[in-house]
Amino acid sequence: MRVIIVGAGEVGYQISKFLSLESLDVVVIDKDRNKTARISEEIDIAVIDGEGGSPSALREAEADSADILLAVTDQDETNMIACLLAKAMFGIPRKIARIRNPDYFLNEHLLKTLGIDPAINPELEIASAVVRILEVPFASEIEDFENGLVKVIGFKIPETSPLIAKTLKKFGTETGRKFLIGLIVRDERTFVPSGDDTIKLGDIIYVPVRPDELPEATALLGITMSPVKKVMILGGGRTGYYIASRIESRYDVKIIEKNEEQCKFLSKNLSRSLILHADGTEQKILLEENIGDMDAFIAVSNNDELNIMVSLLAKKLGVHKTITLVNKTDYISLAHSLGIQSVLSPRLITAGTILRYVRRGDILSLTAIADAKAEILEGRIGKTSPLIGKTLQKAQPKDSIIGAIIRGDQVTIPSGQDVFQKEDKLIIFTLRESIKQVEKMLR
């Protein structure tokens, strides 16, 4: 498979890093030599210094033999032109583009004419991520699979958890229930655990659960799940607006926005949210608006430092749940280390969303988690797969763990004795370097 990536920014970089592990024929185009130099030095793929919307650059990238074009620059127009050329001049079968402007993104006729399928909107992806987190407020990250049949929940182990200082094997024996941890993030290390691994305070763990088992699972882990009712949003730009429009029918929403014109837009287009024309960095304003009574505080301004600072202030003033937007990937680990529960990166989420559509063989979707250090794969067991007829105990892949088996509309969180069948769908946690092995296992 030949893939052309137009744009060597953070989204293009993350996608390139993943695809380089897949032994695909990948080439990246960008006019910024510093960005292409970074990819060339760190990732073993081809780069071209040139304009992504240029026929000559696409021709140099051998676009006439490409299978997929991923247009992920910061400029919607460049992405759309690249897709148009890919369709009209080179006949590339699939075009995927990052499109931020709602006038473009919501114009189905335009996207169809350009052959873009699908268009990815970072602000809408962030809004979707926020909605998922608010539904399970103790979580730092949530991903849905098979239309919500399986949820993967990432959260930090609290002081009250009975898991602390116990091996996973011992915890399972004591509770007598199926319980599976697909991934552990400890400090800067991300790993797939075995039964002999011990959970420590402050670990971030990723757990697959069925929605109906969520209350039982949280109780088992020593977590109190209080529903969210009141939400305050810092920043009324596109992201803040998209979030509010999705949640205002379910929660009591306040939006703090400094720009008067944007406040007028929000007042006109939102029906139930309270719009406050104020400076959200002022502690006096936050106290006047009873921030301590809020169940969740969401910082989505266009200033990373501001988002982090005000989220910490909100936490200090009594907010239980903080969700913080961070564009600079270097700030993600810093925000986590400062105690912010949920840190969302538009670039990483966009890259992860696009990767879902770059499929090979029986891999149905790919989702980057743990700040893109690991992947959750949804795959189907093929006709010749060595998994068929084997138990999980005998077929567990190295540096990976099978977190769920989906058979029709039935979901099983597997134990060692569960047997795999042809056409089963599997939810698999894996480190990036093990993706090839997982792919071979499914064929």
Side-chain angles (χ1 to χ4, degrees):
M1 181 186 291
R2 184 168 180 80
V3 180
I4 295 176
I5 302 172
V6 177
E10 195 61 37
V11 175
Y13 174 81
Q14 294 295 337
I15 295 171
S16 300
K17 193 158 62 171
F18 170 80
L19 295 181
S20 67
L21 301 174
E22 285 286 284
S23 298
L24 299 178
D25 187 6
V26 181
V27 60
V28 179
I29 303 172
D30 200 296
K31 63 182 180 181
D32 189 328
R33 293 178 181 271
N34 291 326
K35 292 178 180 178
T36 54
R38 177 195 182 197
I39 288 180
S40 182
E41 291 169 3
E42 299 182 17
I43 307 171
D44 186 21
I45 60 174
V47 298
I48 293 174
D49 296 319
E51 178 64 55
S54 164
S56 60
L58 290 170
R59 191 173 291 110
E60 185 180 349
E62 300 178 14
D64 53 352
S65 62
D67 300 285
I68 300 178
L69 181 132
L70 308 176
V72 294
T73 75
D74 288 330
Q75 300 296 320
D76 288 353
E77 292 78 8
T78 299
N79 294 339
M80 291 189 295
I81 290 172
C83 290
L84 178 60
L85 292 174
K87 176 185 178 181
M89 292 185 64
F90 301 102
I92 298 177
R94 185 155 206 187
K95 285 76 62 183
I96 299 173
R98 176 165 69 163
I99 304 292
R100 298 183 62 189
N101 189 324
D103 290 338
Y104 298 148
F105 181 79
L106 299 174
N107 191 327
E108 294 182 8
H109 178 71
L110 173 64
L111 298 180
K112 185 176 181 181
T113 300
L114 297 173
I116 298 174
D117 179 28
I120 309 296
N121 184 297
E123 287 84 5
L124 285 173
E125 294 298 328
I126 287 290
S128 296
V130 169
V131 170
R132 291 194 298 268
I133 291 171
L134 290 177
E135 290 174 349
V136 188
F138 68 85
S140 59
E141 191 172 351
I142 298 178
E143 296 292 342
D144 284 343
F145 293 89
E146 283 295 297
N147 296 318
L149 279 178
V150 180
K151 290 183 178 292
V152 173
I153 300 172
F155 62 95
K156 183 176 284 190
I157 293 292
E159 295 179 358
T160 56
S161 176
L163 263 174
I164 294 174
K166 293 181 181 177
T167 65
L168 302 185
K169 187 185 299 181
K170 181 178 180 181
F171 183 74
T173 301
E174 288 179 353
T175 60
R177 299 177 184 179
K178 284 186 181 180
F179 180 76
L180 187 147
I181 295 177
L183 199 73
I184 297 176
V185 179
R186 180 174 298 158
D187 299 323
E188 296 298 314
R189 183 185 171 213
T190 301
F191 61 98
V192 174
S194 68
D196 296 323
D197 279 305
T198 302
I199 299 298
K200 297 183 179 181
L201 177 65
D203 282 353
I204 297 175
I205 67 173
Y206 289 79
V207 180
V209 295
R210 296 196 300 259
D212 61 308
E213 292 185 336
L214 189 55
E216 180 183 357
T218 55
L220 192 66
L221 293 165
I223 296 171
T224 302
M225 192 167 76
S226 302
V228 169
K229 296 179 181 178
K230 298 180 179 180
V231 178
M232 182 176 286
I233 300 173
L234 173 69
R238 285 181 188 166
T239 304
Y241 167 67
Y242 289 147
I243 293 170
S245 64
R246 291 194 178 190
I247 69 172
E248 66 173 358
S249 63
R250 300 161 60 187
Y251 308 118
D252 181 6
V253 177
K254 290 182 179 181
I255 304 176
I256 300 178
E257 171 55 46
K258 195 173 182 179
N259 183 282
E260 185 176 357
E261 289 303 313
Q262 190 61 25
C263 287
K264 292 178 181 178
F265 170 85
L266 295 170
S267 297
K268 180 180 178 180
N269 291 279
L270 294 172
S271 58
R272 298 182 61 181
S273 301
L274 176 62
I275 314 302
L276 303 170
H277 179 216
D279 185 349
T281 64
E282 295 183 8
Q283 182 170 327
K284 177 184 176 182
I285 296 295
L286 298 176
L287 290 172
E288 286 177 355
E289 295 304 327
N290 302 313
I291 190 171
D293 294 336
M294 296 294 124
D295 300 305
F297 180 84
I298 305 169
V300 289
S301 79
N302 57 9
N303 186 311
D304 287 357
E305 293 85 353
L306 177 65
N307 290 339
I308 293 172
M309 183 186 73
V310 182
S311 293
L312 292 173
L313 179 58
K315 185 178 178 182
K316 178 182 176 181
L317 294 174
V319 179
H320 297 296
K321 179 68 179 181
T322 54
I323 303 173
T324 307
L325 182 71
V326 174
N327 283 286
K328 299 175 184 175
T329 51
D330 291 343
Y331 283 3
I332 295 174
S333 58
L334 170 64
H336 278 305
S337 68
L338 292 172
I340 297 174
Q341 296 105 317
S342 297
V343 183
L344 301 179
S345 164
R347 292 180 172 90
L348 291 182
I349 287 178
T350 300
T353 302
I354 289 172
L355 285 174
R356 290 189 176 206
Y357 298 95
V358 184
R359 304 168 179 171
R360 295 192 67 195
D362 291 308
I363 301 295
L364 303 176
S365 71
L366 302 160
T367 301
I369 59 171
D371 298 338
K373 294 174 184 175
E375 303 281 339
I376 307 175
L377 279 68
E378 181 181 357
R380 182 184 288 111
I381 295 178
K383 296 178 181 179
T384 60
S385 170
L387 291 176
I388 297 173
K390 289 186 179 180
T391 63
L392 175 63
Q393 188 175 31
K394 293 183 178 180
Q396 188 74 266
K398 182 182 179 182
D399 291 327
S400 303
I401 191 166
I402 297 172
I405 302 171
I406 303 169
R407 191 171 294 156
D409 59 355
Q410 299 298 311
V411 177
T412 301
I413 306 300
S415 61
Q417 300 308 310
D418 283 298
V419 178
F420 299 109
Q421 297 180 11
K422 184 176 68 174
E423 297 297 317
D424 279 352
K425 292 179 183 178
L426 307 179
I427 305 298
I428 305 172
F429 296 83
T430 184
L431 302 181
R432 280 186 160 182
E433 54 267 27
S434 300
I435 289 173
K436 289 182 184 177
Q437 181 186 353
V438 172
E439 190 177 74
K440 291 178 181 178
M441 179 183 70
L442 292 170
R443 293 174 180 169

